[in-house]
Amino acid sequence: MPVQSEISERLDLLRQEISAHAHRYYILDAPIISDGEYDRLFQELLTLEEQYPALVTPDSPSNRVGAPPLSAFDSVAHRVPMLSLENIFSEQNLQDFEERLLRYLKTTDHPDYMAEPKLDGLAVELIYEDGLLTVGSTRGDGKIGEEITANLKTIPTIPLRLNLPEPPVRLEVRGEVYISLQGFRRLNEQRTKDQQPLFANPRNAAAGSLRQLDSTITAGRPLDFFAYGISEAAELPCRTQAEILTYLGRAGFKMNPQTKNCRTLSEVASHFNHLSAIRPTLAHEIDGMVIKVNNLDLQQRLGAKARSPRWAVAWKFAATQVTTRLLSVTFGIGRTGAITPVAILEPVEVNGVTVSRATLHNEDEILRKDLRINDMVLVQRAGDVIPEVVKPIQELRTGEEQPITMPTTCPECGDSLERKEAEAALRCLNLHCPAQKMRLLAHFAGKAGLDIEGFGIRAVEQLYQEGLISAPHDLFLLRQEQLAVLPGWGEKSASKALNALHKCKQTTLTRLISALGIRHIGEVTAQLLEDRFLTLDRLMAASADELAEIEGIGPQAGRSLTEYFANQGYQEMIAQLQASGVTIRPSKPSGALLPLVGKVFLFTGTLTSLSRSEAKARVKELGGQVASGISRKVTHLICGEKPGSKVDQAHHLGLAILSEDDFKMIVKND
Ligand code: IVH
């Protein structure tokens, strides 16, 4: 019987060898032992670890076979939000992108770029602590994702330990999990044999495989991973995106060989053409090319808008277009009463997804495209996701085509429809229209609202039709015995649902405002409102002028808000929500610590070393606000070159007038 220390040594050796062979096989594509020899080493490791479970380490290759199943995924907050990218579609857009950068940075020096294939998979984040992979998560809503560590550990191209002599204390790696075209074909062949439903495309297959509670299922799927970035490079020896990629390659990640450092936009464009040309020969799907400002200091200065960074864009390949027949048009009704025509199409496959409906947006759109029922039409998936009807194929008309007529009454409640001047949508103005109420409820409970688990559109529809809910606060009055007896429910799902409702009762002002579904008020505007007013009472009491002063809130949004809060019906609805226990907690507990909270900046004249937008962004990052005109609320007037009359007015009001240098001192990043 060998002693424990010998076993331990043997295990160490096995792990090292297996990791090194796996790296040669999966990443370098240069194995030096046969598959059989590798399997024997692996088997020996598994057997020994089974005998001595206390000796299993978190970076052991045995993690690759999966772990015991979970009952649910935990949530993980991303320390740095995982943003998405703005899309561009042409060289002109590319030039506009650069012009915007130069304007923002106040420079005429053209930056250089990294151009990288845009893989069509799923973004994930991998956290390494002292070199060891500890947490892996999905992107989720960008702020909070799902913890899928055990699943990610099964992917052979994700290192369980970084191959760095002195790994950083913490490294957050980001990249794309995907399935190759060959892996996808094999997987579907297997599923055909097993009489299981097929995946529509590699992306869906990757998504389905990653979101398995049982990681041994994930382990059997041909998942792969390319790293493309890290969330924060301040502590690393990297000054550019190119250096980050090299660093990640050295750390043991598989890197995309088709990335290119481009000095000019024309180099960027030729790389795009190159990728389009080789696209059909690649082992995996790509849907475009990501272009990133290479220099990390510039990236930092450029920062991000609500959902996407200013320093990167995705240049998408032109969408695939196919033809099919427009069979009929139905009319849906949205939560704000807008009537939306929807094309019913003869089902057709576009890039692996079957399309049978597409929104036609509104009447003007139908007239502009001159669409008729029975037309053969060109269909594409915009940004490869949302299907749209591009145009009718006029040459194929037979004379059998029928014009599309818009309804004059609401398809749900029968009330007459109205179209306000300067608006594209026909609208049902009946606040009690059942379809609107239902949509509003679904919005309230859905992802863009309070995001109540288990209250998707189907559940909400069912509860509405059963007469259990008709206004948002009804949700919080639901009782176990009411839910448990519904078709498809039961004690367990009822108590789960009640739990989820209970959790969502405490929410943030931003979420609650988005959940109300006020026209023109989305999540981003809601956040601005929270930043400015902090409480619902103050927001509801805000005057039109106060709203107009907030940077980022236009006249339309302002009007919509004042109208909404002045409406007695909505006031009652909000009061009922509060009475049913909905409370608001601050979304940024550290808000009070931001140095510029309560300060209102106004800019005049030309700034020389940074652009107005960059200056405004800095103020907001630090918790301050930016005014667009002079008033007693302004606390700091920042004066650039050639200031206007605001300076005199500021003198009048006795305001502090500061220079650009003063400003830079105030917002300096310590
Ligand atoms: S950079 C803030 N680089 O594209 C920068 N993203 O809309 C955002 N993607 O789901 C990510 N290849 O996972 C970056 N080389 C690449 C990428 C890439 C694919 C995905 C990413 C995200 C989406 C961005």
Side-chain angles (χ1 to χ4, degrees):
M1 179 86 177
V3 288
Q4 186 105 350
S5 66
E6 281 172 29
I7 304 284
S8 197
E9 261 173 49
R10 179 64 190 155
L11 276 169
D12 272 349
L13 187 73
L14 279 170
R15 287 182 197 124
Q16 272 173 33
E17 286 215 348
I18 293 171
S19 300
H21 286 306
H23 186 253
R24 295 194 64 98
Y25 181 85
Y26 289 108
I27 297 187
L28 307 179
D29 201 9
I32 47 170
I33 60 171
S34 70
D35 291 4
E37 282 169 291
Y38 179 83
D39 288 345
R40 269 194 297 283
L41 289 174
F42 210 105
Q43 202 47 55
E44 185 185 345
L45 175 76
L46 291 181
T47 316
L48 268 183
E49 282 190 346
E50 206 173 321
Q51 278 176 318
Y52 301 92
L55 299 181
V56 180
T57 59
D59 63 340
S60 170
S62 58
N63 279 291
R64 305 281 194 206
V65 299
L70 305 170
S71 54
F73 296 117
D74 282 339
S75 312
V76 188
H78 302 298
R79 223 170 39 92
V80 179
M82 292 183 78
L83 300 172
S84 49
L85 292 169
E86 209 167 280
N87 289 333
I88 63 169
F89 296 96
S90 65
E91 258 189 273
Q92 180 59 49
N93 294 163
L94 178 65
Q95 277 172 17
D96 297 343
F97 165 64
E98 179 165 271
E99 266 165 37
R100 246 184 293 144
L101 294 180
L102 299 181
R103 231 180 300 130
Y104 194 88
L105 297 168
K106 276 249 160 178
T107 175
T108 49
D109 293 343
H110 298 259
D112 66 315
Y113 301 96
M114 271 313 280
E116 307 170 4
K118 184 170 184 299
L119 261 89
D120 200 10
L122 290 110
V124 299
E125 176 170 80
L126 305 167
I127 298 177
Y128 288 87
E129 288 168 294
D130 293 321
L132 189 69
L133 173 59
T134 51
V135 178
S137 56
T138 61
R139 171 166 181 273
D141 65 1
K143 291 185 184 138
I144 295 179
E146 284 177 322
E147 211 234 84
I148 50 164
T149 316
N151 294 357
L152 289 169
K153 280 186 170 179
T154 68
I155 303 178
T157 38
I158 290 183
L160 302 175
R161 183 179 284 285
L162 299 175
N163 182 27
L164 296 169
E166 284 178 50
V169 179
R170 186 182 167 98
L171 184 70
E172 300 172 359
V173 178
R174 296 192 174 166
E176 199 86 350
V177 170
Y178 67 96
I179 285 184
S180 71
L181 288 161
Q182 192 188 42
F184 169 69
R185 274 192 294 269
R186 290 204 181 138
L187 179 58
N188 266 351
E189 275 163 25
Q190 188 58 46
R191 289 175 76 85
T192 312
K193 279 190 209 139
D194 300 345
Q195 298 193 325
Q196 281 177 306
L198 301 188
F199 290 113
N201 52 46
R203 189 177 184 284
N204 286 4
S209 304
L210 260 194
R211 288 198 79 261
Q212 292 289 338
L213 289 166
D214 182 351
S215 51
T216 58
I217 298 183
T218 311
R221 302 284 171 81
L223 291 166
D224 211 331
F225 179 75
F226 272 133
Y228 57 62
I230 48 194
S231 69
E232 208 173 63
E235 315 275 308
L236 298 184
C238 300
R239 288 179 38 257
T240 60
Q241 167 68 8
E243 287 173 13
I244 288 182
L245 295 181
T246 311
Y247 179 86
L248 289 172
R250 275 213 318 270
F253 289 95
K254 178 167 140 176
M255 305 308 293
N256 198 310
Q258 296 293 344
T259 58
K260 187 172 169 9
N261 183 207
C262 301
R263 315 240 131 244
T264 61
L265 290 192
S266 74
E267 275 182 44
V268 172
S270 7
H271 196 56
F272 181 76
N273 293 335
H274 166 70
L275 289 181
S276 316
I278 62 165
R279 184 180 180 196
T281 69
L282 291 176
H284 48 75
E285 285 196 332
I286 59 175
D287 57 350
M289 183 175 90
V290 182
I291 302 151
K292 304 177 181 172
V293 169
N294 193 27
N295 183 297
L296 300 182
D297 286 338
L298 290 183
Q299 287 189 6
Q300 169 108 33
R301 276 185 62 197
L302 285 160
K305 292 179 286 184
R307 290 181 194 282
S308 52
R310 291 194 189 84
W311 47 266
V313 280
W315 189 350
K316 301 294 283 278
F317 295 129
T320 323
Q321 297 187 335
V322 299
T323 52
T324 189
R325 191 175 297 282
L326 173 58
L327 299 175
S328 63
V329 175
T330 63
F331 297 91
I333 169 159
R335 61 167 213 270
T336 58
I339 303 290
T340 311
V342 179
I344 304 299
L345 304 163
E346 207 164 85
V348 64
E349 205 184 281
V350 192
N351 293 352
V353 169
T354 305
V355 171
S356 56
R357 332 163 42 95
T359 172
L360 297 174
H361 304 287
N362 53 51
E363 186 176 14
D364 291 350
E365 190 79 359
I366 294 177
L367 294 174
R368 193 175 60 74
K369 290 180 177 163
D370 182 23
L371 288 169
R372 302 183 198 169
I373 296 186
N374 277 329
D375 261 337
M376 287 303 287
V377 292
L378 213 52
V379 171
Q380 69 178 20
R381 279 165 67 209
D384 273 352
V385 186
I386 302 160
E388 67 178 8
V389 177
V390 184
K391 60 170 190 189
I393 305 173
Q394 311 248 4
E395 302 77 58
L396 295 181
R397 284 205 170 139
T398 60
E400 300 281 292
E401 297 74 19
Q402 298 294 322
I404 298 167
T405 40
M406 294 296 286
T408 51
T409 55
C410 173
E412 286 291 333
C413 70
D415 247 37
S416 56
L417 299 176
E418 278 186 49
R419 180 169 170 177
K420 283 198 194 158
E421 232 176 294
E423 266 194 25
L426 265 176
R427 235 170 251 288
C428 166
L429 298 181
N430 172 12
L431 280 185
H432 301 288
C433 168
Q436 273 184 68
K437 275 186 162 176
M438 220 280 294
R439 285 290 137 69
L440 187 64
L441 281 167
H443 171 84
F444 183 85
K447 285 237 180 306
L450 294 196
D451 196 10
I452 311 172
E453 211 182 317
F455 285 81
I457 180 121
R458 286 236 182 83
V460 170
E461 212 163 22
Q462 183 187 22
L463 296 175
Y464 182 81
Q465 264 145 19
E466 296 281 347
L468 292 177
I469 53 173
S470 81
H473 75 277
D474 293 333
L475 282 164
F476 299 105
L477 304 177
L478 289 169
R479 292 190 315 270
Q480 171 88 15
E481 63 272 21
Q482 291 176 313
L483 296 177
V485 297
L486 295 176
W489 290 66
E491 294 296 337
K492 218 165 144 193
S493 34
S495 79
K496 246 175 119 172
L498 289 181
N499 251 332
L501 280 163
H502 185 72
K503 269 204 286 193
C504 294
K505 258 190 190 174
Q506 250 224 6
T507 185
T508 63
L509 187 54
T510 302
R511 260 202 196 281
L512 183 65
I513 301 169
S514 337
L516 293 177
I518 308 169
R519 283 181 66 201
H520 306 298
I521 311 294
E523 224 175 306
V524 175
T525 316
Q527 182 71 58
L528 292 173
L529 292 168
E530 168 170 354
D531 292 347
R532 172 71 178 77
F533 296 106
L534 299 172
T535 71
L536 184 59
D537 290 344
R538 269 194 258 165
L539 167 63
M540 288 178 72
S543 68
D545 286 349
E546 276 174 294
L547 292 169
E549 216 168 73
I550 303 172
E551 184 70 22
I553 296 196
Q556 241 186 358
R559 215 172 309 126
S560 171
L561 276 168
T562 33
E563 270 174 28
Y564 187 91
F565 289 126
N567 180 311
Q568 208 180 342
Y570 290 131
Q571 287 174 5
E572 273 162 26
M573 186 183 94
I574 291 171
Q576 281 173 320
L577 271 174
Q578 287 174 317
S580 67
V582 173
T583 52
I584 286 171
R585 63 179 152 80
S587 61
K588 291 181 208 151
S590 61
L593 301 174
L594 290 172
L596 298 186
V597 169
K599 307 279 187 279
V600 181
F601 283 68
L602 178 65
F603 293 91
T604 178
T606 318
L607 302 176
T608 53
S609 63
L610 73 177
S611 66
R612 194 66 79 92
S613 335
E614 188 179 1
K616 288 180 177 176
R618 286 294 293 146
V619 169
K620 288 187 200 157
E621 270 166 34
L622 298 175
Q625 273 197 64
V626 181
S628 52
I630 195 123
S631 78
R632 289 199 179 273
K633 293 188 191 115
V634 173
T635 55
H636 294 66
L637 179 74
I638 309 299
C639 228
E641 281 176 4
K642 302 211 192 100
S645 61
K646 285 178 193 158
V647 180
D648 299 335
Q649 297 171 9
H651 267 307
H652 239 69
L653 291 171
L655 284 180
I657 302 176
L658 305 173
S659 68
E660 179 170 344
D661 284 342
D662 296 332
F663 175 71
K664 280 172 49 187
M665 290 288 290
I666 296 175
V667 299
K668 211 166 89 189
N669 209 353
D670 291 323

